[in-house]
């Protein structure tokens, strides 16, 4: 029986920076001409997530299972080089990992830093050919007041979200509990050689905020700096040594994209505070 070849080997991991290697734009599955150990052990392989609609910065999990033997969507695999050469886990612009198989990872955590519809692909390689492909679609939505924070039910930890990318950076959300609490979203570079151009950093964070909160009510392109600064000072209790670039407002939250000096270089972050 197929399940006799499975035994427990779960490793939960978050994708870190990897090159987009071994990933064709339109992967074609090449089925072997005859049944083999590879086809027997991978023919019913599929992927599953408990929640296909998830909040921005909220962690979800994707796992591999055998859809014939385990209708509860749980299976524990251990595959070696005799069965597959490598297994690629991929979401465009979000994560990319090529396992090298030993050990075979059966589950991953994932987060998204902006709303949208994302397609996950699992590609199984043998003899440099894709012999199995499984996929699913996940939708990220802005379901809380400010990304992964509800002001009336604040998180217990200061780190409330980390969205990893294979492009050499990570987008973090932190929460600061003070008399006037606030939360920020900014970049953390794991690979200093792969830093985005600073203008790209600003562009990316502007897109993150705009996809979540719609078009800004005030922006540097449409309003004067004095008007932006006055509105920032009116809305926000926490003051930063920063330049205001855009402001968003909704019923519960004031949001701003700001530029601030760090190591003699201008960096950027999104800050959110509850409306007072």
């Amino acid at each position: 029986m197929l399940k006799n070849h499975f035994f427990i080997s779960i490793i939960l991991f978050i994708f870190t920076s990897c090159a987009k290697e071994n990933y064709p734009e339109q992967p074609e599955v090449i089925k072997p001409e005859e049944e083999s150990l590879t086809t027997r052990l991978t023919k019913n392989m599929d992927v599953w997530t408990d929640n296909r609609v998830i909040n921005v910065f909220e962690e979800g999990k994707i796992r591999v299972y055998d859809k014939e033997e385990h209708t509860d969507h749980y299976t524990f695999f251990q595959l070696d080089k005799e069965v597959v050469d490598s297994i690629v886990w991929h979401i465009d612009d979000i994560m990319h990992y090529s396992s090298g198989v030993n050990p075979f990872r059966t589950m991953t955590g994932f987060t998204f830093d902006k709303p949208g519809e994302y397609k996950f692909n699992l590609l199984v390689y043998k003899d440099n050919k894709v012999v199995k492909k499984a996929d699913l679609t996940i939708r990220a939505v802005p379901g809380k007041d400010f990304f992964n924070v509800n002001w009336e039910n604040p998180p217990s930890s200061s780190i409330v979200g980390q969205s990893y990318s294979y492009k050499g950076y990570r987008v973090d959300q932190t929460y600061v509990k003070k008399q006037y609490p606030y939360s920020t979203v900014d970049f953390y570079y794991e690979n200093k050689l792969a830093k985005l151009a600073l203008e790209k950093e600003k562009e990316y964070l502007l897109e993150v905020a705009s996809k979540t909160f719609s078009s800004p009510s005030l922006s540097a392109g449409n309003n004067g700096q004095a008007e932006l600064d006055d509105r920032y000072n009116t809305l926000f209790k926490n003051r930063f040594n920063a330049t205001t670039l855009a402001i968003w407002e909704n019923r519960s939250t004031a949001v701003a994209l700001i530029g601030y000096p760090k190591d003699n270089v201008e960096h950027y972050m999104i800050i959110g505070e509850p409306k007072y």
Side-chain angles (χ1 to χ4, degrees):
M1 293 292 292
L2 181 62
K3 61 186 176 183
N4 293 334
H5 296 280
F6 305 145
F7 63 95
I8 295 177
S9 178
I10 272 195
I11 297 177
L12 176 64
F13 68 99
I14 302 292
F15 285 96
T16 55
S17 301
C18 293
K20 190 178 175 182
E21 60 188 16
N22 209 21
Y23 188 78
E25 292 300 325
Q26 294 182 322
E28 179 185 1
V29 178
I30 309 297
K31 293 184 178 180
E33 294 181 359
E34 57 185 40
E35 186 172 297
S36 64
L37 182 62
T38 299
T39 58
R40 291 200 304 273
L41 295 187
T42 62
K43 67 178 180 179
N44 294 317
M45 185 185 290
D46 207 349
V47 289
W48 181 260
T49 182
D50 291 324
N51 191 354
R52 298 198 184 199
V53 179
I54 191 168
N55 187 61
V56 172
F57 276 119
E58 183 178 348
E59 186 186 26
K61 294 179 177 66
I62 297 172
R63 59 180 177 269
V64 177
Y65 78 106
D66 181 88
K67 61 185 178 183
E68 183 176 277
E69 297 289 333
H70 293 268
T71 56
D72 61 354
H73 305 114
Y74 278 92
T75 306
F76 306 125
F77 289 88
Q78 178 74 20
L79 302 178
D80 58 29
K81 289 289 186 178
E82 291 186 13
V83 182
V84 295
D85 296 329
S86 65
I87 298 164
V88 171
W89 305 66
H90 181 87
I91 300 177
D92 276 349
D93 297 327
I94 300 296
M95 63 184 180
H96 181 84
Y97 184 82
S98 182
S99 71
V101 177
N102 231 341
F104 174 53
R105 292 172 167 89
T106 61
M107 185 181 291
T108 180
F110 64 90
T111 58
F112 301 111
D113 53 41
K114 55 189 173 185
E117 191 167 272
Y118 299 88
K119 186 173 182 180
F120 169 79
N121 283 124
L122 184 87
L123 303 180
V124 179
Y125 281 82
K126 180 63 177 174
D127 298 329
N128 296 317
K129 298 176 182 178
V130 178
V131 295
K132 183 68 180 182
K133 177 176 178 288
D135 57 60
L136 53 81
T137 299
I138 305 164
R139 186 159 58 94
V141 298
K144 298 187 179 181
D145 291 323
F146 181 73
F147 297 101
N148 203 30
V149 168
N150 278 333
W151 303 119
E152 293 184 0
N153 184 26
S156 57
S157 172
S158 61
I159 303 296
V160 294
Q162 295 180 330
S163 179
Y164 289 74
S165 170
Y166 64 80
K167 291 187 174 181
Y169 60 85
R170 188 180 80 204
V171 181
D172 287 354
Q173 183 186 3
T174 58
Y175 174 75
V176 180
K177 187 176 182 179
K178 303 173 56 175
Q179 179 183 3
Y180 297 109
Y182 65 92
S183 181
T184 62
V185 173
D186 60 1
F187 281 85
Y188 171 79
Y189 292 98
E190 293 185 308
N191 181 356
K192 296 184 185 301
L193 298 178
K195 282 189 176 182
L196 295 176
L198 293 180
E199 190 64 27
K200 187 67 175 177
E201 182 182 279
K202 179 174 70 174
E203 178 184 318
Y204 192 92
L205 288 176
L206 180 62
E207 180 185 358
V208 168
S210 296
K211 281 203 169 186
T212 305
F213 301 105
S214 189
S215 298
S217 54
L218 298 173
S219 65
N222 298 322
N223 304 93
Q225 191 61 52
E227 185 178 2
L228 277 165
D229 292 341
D230 286 345
R231 190 59 183 157
Y232 176 85
N233 291 330
T234 298
L235 289 172
F236 289 84
K237 300 294 185 182
N238 297 283
R239 303 286 191 264
F240 287 83
N241 179 21
T243 302
T244 311
L245 303 172
I247 290 176
W248 296 258
E249 295 181 62
N250 60 26
R251 176 187 56 82
S252 64
T253 306
V255 179
L257 174 64
I258 61 176
Y260 63 97
K262 181 180 178 182
D263 300 329
N264 298 317
V265 178
E266 188 84 349
H267 287 271
Y268 303 90
M269 70 178 175
I270 306 166
I271 181 170
E273 283 190 13
K275 280 284 192 69
Y276 295 102

